[in-house]
C-alpha cells in the first residue's frame, strides 16, 4: 500500500489544499469491483416470493377416488400441474447482502478518488449566495466553474453538509448528484465524470482516510 499526496488549488483563491490517499496499485481494481458488487447487491430487496403446493390454501381433500373414474389419478387440487396450484422451484425470500470490511471499503474509495484526481475541482463553498432554491442559479454557478453542465456530463457535488436550498436546486437535474461526504459511495464516484468538492468536505476526507 502506497500513500499518495494530491494538491488542489481552491477555485478563485490563492490557497491550496492537500488530499492524502492510501492506494493499492496491485489489487486496487479488484477491491473497487468487490465494493461495487457489495453496494449494488445490498440494494436488492429479495422480496420475490411464490408459494409451493404445501403453502397454497386448500387442496387437502383428494379430488376423486384413485381408480374407476377414467381420469388421471390426482391427490390434490393444489398440485403444480393444476391451475391455481403451487409453483415448482419458484423464487423465495432471499437476502443478497454481502459483507465487506470497513478498511477494504475505505481503500476502494481512496483508489477511486486517486484515479479521478484530475477530474476533481475544490471550491470554498457552494451555497454561500444561495438564499432560495434556484436550479437556474446552480447551473450558472457550475458553468462559471468552467464545467460542462449538459445532460451527457455527470457531475457529483460532495459537500460537508447538505443545505436545504442547495438540495432543492439540484434535485431536478438528472446529471448532477448532490451527496454529503458521509454518504460517499462507490457507485456515485464511478458514475461521475467530474467532481466538485467543498474545502470542508476535503478536510473530512483527509481525516477519515488517514486515521488508522
Amino acid at each position: 500500500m502506497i500513500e499518495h499526496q494530491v494538491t488542489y488549488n481552491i477555485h478563485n483563491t490563492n490557497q491550496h489544499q492537500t488530499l492524502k490517499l492510501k492506494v493499492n496499485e496491485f489489487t486496487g481494481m479488484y477491491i473497487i469491483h468487490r465494493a461495487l458488487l457489495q453496494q449494488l447487491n445490498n440494494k436488492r430487496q429479495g422480496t420475490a416470493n411464490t408459494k409451493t403446493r404445501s403453502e397454497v390454501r386448500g387442496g387437502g381433500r383428494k379430488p376423486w377416488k384413485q381408480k374407476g373414474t377414467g381420469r388421471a389419478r390426482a391427490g390434490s387440487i393444489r398440485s403444480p400441474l393444476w391451475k391455481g396450484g403451487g409453483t415448482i422451484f419458484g423464487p423465495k425470500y432471499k437476502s443478497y447482502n454481502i459483507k465487506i470490511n470497513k478498511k477494504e471499503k475505505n481503500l476502494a474509495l481512496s483508489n477511486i478518488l486517486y484515479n479521478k484526481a484530475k477530474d476533481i475541482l475544490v471550491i470554498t463553498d457552494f451555497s454561500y449566495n444561495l438564499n432560495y432554491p434556484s436550479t437556474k442559479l446552480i447551473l450558472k454557478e457550475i458553468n462559471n466553474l468552467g464545467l460542462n453542465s449538459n445532460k451527457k456530463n455527470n457531475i457529483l457535488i460532495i459537500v460537508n453538509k447538505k443545505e436545504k436550498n442547495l438540495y432543492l436546486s439540484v434535485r431536478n437535474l438528472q446529471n448532477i448528484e448532490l451527496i454529503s461526504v458521509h454518504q460517499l459511495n462507490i457507485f456515485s464516484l464511478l458514475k461521475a465524470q467530474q467532481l466538485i468538492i467543498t474545502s470542508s468536505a476535503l478536510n473530512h476526507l483527509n481525516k477519515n482516510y488517514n486515521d488508522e
Side-chain angles (χ1 to χ4, degrees), residues 72-176:
R73 55 194 174 186
S76 169
I77 62 170
R78 298 308 180 209
S79 163
L81 305 178
W82 285 50
K83 179 185 175 183
T87 304
I88 309 171
F89 303 129
K92 304 296 285 182
Y93 290 120
K94 179 181 177 181
S95 173
Y96 291 92
N97 286 0
I98 299 173
K99 287 184 70 177
I100 188 170
N101 296 331
K102 186 178 178 181
K103 285 187 176 180
E104 195 175 4
K105 187 176 180 180
N106 284 350
L107 184 59
L109 290 168
S110 294
N111 273 281
I112 296 177
L113 286 169
Y114 178 71
N115 291 339
K116 288 185 174 283
K118 293 178 182 178
D119 303 317
I120 294 175
L121 179 67
V122 179
I123 60 173
T124 50
D125 195 10
F126 213 98
S127 54
Y128 59 92
N129 58 352
L130 201 64
N131 300 319
Y132 55 90
S134 173
T135 303
K136 188 176 181 179
L137 190 59
I138 283 296
L139 287 173
K140 185 180 177 182
E141 286 286 331
I142 289 172
N143 289 326
N144 288 341
L145 292 172
L147 302 179
N148 187 1
S149 61
N150 67 38
K151 291 182 180 179
K152 293 182 179 179
N153 189 40
N154 289 319
I155 298 172
L156 178 65
I157 302 171
I158 304 170
V159 295
N160 195 38
K161 185 181 178 183
K162 279 186 183 180
E163 297 290 339
K164 185 178 179 181
N165 286 339
L166 181 59
Y167 166 71
L168 292 174
S169 302
V170 169
R171 69 176 178 174
N172 200 35
L173 298 169
Q174 293 180 356
N175 63 314
I176 299 175

